[in-house]
Amino acid sequence: YATHTWEISDKLILNDGIRVSNVMLESKFDDKTFFPFPFDNVKQNNTALNGNLGLIYLPGYDFRITVLGSTGFRAPNVDDLSKVFESVQGNVIVPNPDLKPEYTYNAEIGIAKTFNKKVTVSVNGYYTLLKNAITVQPSTFEGSDSIMYDGQLSQVTTTINATEAYIYGLEAGVRGNITNQLSIVSTINYTYGRIKTDTTDYPLDHIPPVFGKTGLNLNVKKFRGEVFVQYSGWKRLKNYNLIGEDNIAYATAQGMPAWFTLNARVGYQFNKYVSLQVACENILDVNYRQFASNISAAGRNFIVTLRGSF
């Protein structure tokens, strides 16, 4: 790979790069006790040329605008090609040795502005187009759309290359000093992803609901403290991929509910050798689940850390 930076002027900077990738994979399946693989080996050799081109515009010392375009490439791995997995009860993923690489074409724009040398506000928007996107779709195994798996008749699905998919989103943040010792940090992220079809675009899996974090930080000599809230919005059923790995079986009848947790950390540096940190997570003991998880997250819990260096 090669990268290059050109400071065109005091206000304009160009960044660019290029990368050539070659991924070779060869795997033999000697033991088929677990699953009757219809093939004995897999062999692939994939090559791709990718690059990026970005501009940074600085109209003032407190103002920054960035524009970026790039391409990406991911070759299938052994797990993609050969996994056997029941992602949804009654649906089983079977191997696909003919899976091809997926490619991405990305565009991004960002704006950051500092006010009164104290508060910085930033917003970044992005769009990604996936070609040959690796996703899970209904399929057949040895000519049948259903097979017995783990004692249950299950619909056959497999990892294939969709024609196209897209992802777009927005991330925003605020960082500021309230006083010389007290500061605030807040971030929020929104992501939307769909697989293109001949009719209605279908949800892409692994897309989280809106999420973020807001916190206050205090630094006084040897003491550091932080109080913060982590939060996540609803993941509605209409945004679930019913075939992929969103684990809809673990959602409620309306999807995965929104949640927030209140957390705190404090630390004290006794000297250059010894420090103590104490944290309390999920102070309100909220019962919640991360999106796609099949177990509830931890309740109220404490962490005590003593660090020493000699």
Side-chain angles (χ1 to χ4, degrees), residues 9-245:
S9 67
D10 292 338
K11 296 184 177 182
L12 192 62
I13 302 172
L14 173 72
N15 292 299
D16 55 85
I18 190 170
R19 177 188 294 269
V20 178
S21 303
N22 178 256
V23 181
M24 293 179 289
L25 182 151
E26 184 172 1
S27 183
K28 295 181 180 180
F29 301 89
D30 296 325
D31 187 348
K32 300 183 180 181
T33 305
F34 173 69
F35 189 82
F37 289 95
F39 49 88
D40 297 319
N41 59 75
V42 175
K43 188 174 183 179
Q44 289 201 357
N45 190 343
N46 298 298
T47 302
L49 175 66
N50 296 298
N52 67 276
L53 180 65
L55 280 173
I56 301 173
Y57 178 52
L58 305 168
Y61 72 90
D62 58 354
F63 196 16
R64 179 187 181 99
I65 301 174
T66 58
V67 179
L68 174 67
S70 64
T71 62
F73 158 82
R74 186 175 82 86
N77 56 37
V78 174
D79 181 69
D80 295 322
L81 296 166
S82 61
K83 67 181 173 184
V84 180
F85 181 62
E86 188 181 33
S87 60
V88 178
Q89 188 174 10
N91 285 358
V92 59
I93 299 176
V94 300
N96 178 12
D98 299 320
L99 199 61
K100 299 177 182 178
E102 62 181 358
Y103 301 85
T104 64
Y105 302 88
N106 317 290
E108 181 179 335
I109 184 169
I111 300 174
K113 172 70 174 175
T114 301
F115 299 91
N116 298 324
K117 298 182 181 180
K118 290 184 176 182
V119 179
T120 300
V121 179
S122 62
V123 179
N124 290 279
Y126 58 89
Y127 181 91
T128 296
L129 176 66
L130 294 94
K131 294 282 191 177
N132 288 338
I134 296 176
T135 185
V136 177
Q137 298 289 338
S139 185
T140 60
F141 182 77
E142 296 183 339
S144 176
D145 61 0
S146 299
I147 61 173
M148 293 298 298
Y149 180 76
D150 198 22
Q152 179 179 0
L153 184 63
S154 302
Q155 180 183 350
V156 174
T157 61
T158 191
T159 306
I160 68 168
N161 296 103
T163 304
E164 284 186 0
Y166 59 89
I167 303 171
Y168 62 79
L170 189 73
E171 56 183 23
V174 176
R175 295 176 179 269
N177 295 322
I178 301 173
T179 68
N180 291 334
Q181 292 80 32
L182 187 63
S183 62
I184 184 172
V185 178
S186 183
T187 61
I188 189 167
N189 295 265
Y190 169 77
T191 311
Y192 184 88
R194 288 292 187 270
I195 301 168
K196 291 187 176 182
T197 71
D198 293 334
T199 55
T200 303
D201 293 347
Y202 191 71
L204 188 65
D205 51 355
H206 298 290
I207 302 297
V210 61
F211 66 94
K213 175 182 176 181
T214 299
L216 290 170
N217 299 283
L218 179 65
N219 291 277
V220 181
K221 296 181 179 180
K222 296 182 179 181
F223 175 84
R224 298 184 63 185
E226 179 185 15
V227 177
F228 63 96
V229 177
Q230 286 185 302
Y231 44 88
S232 174
W234 271 90
K235 178 79 172 183
R236 300 291 181 179
L237 288 183
K238 65 180 181 181
N239 294 319
Y240 271 77
N241 185 307
L242 304 182
I243 304 171
E245 299 178 16

Side-chain angles (χ1 to χ4, degrees), residues 244-261:
E245 299 178 16
D246 279 351
N247 289 331
I248 192 171
Y250 306 126
T252 70
Q254 291 79 37
M256 190 61 69
W259 56 265
F260 77 91
T261 62

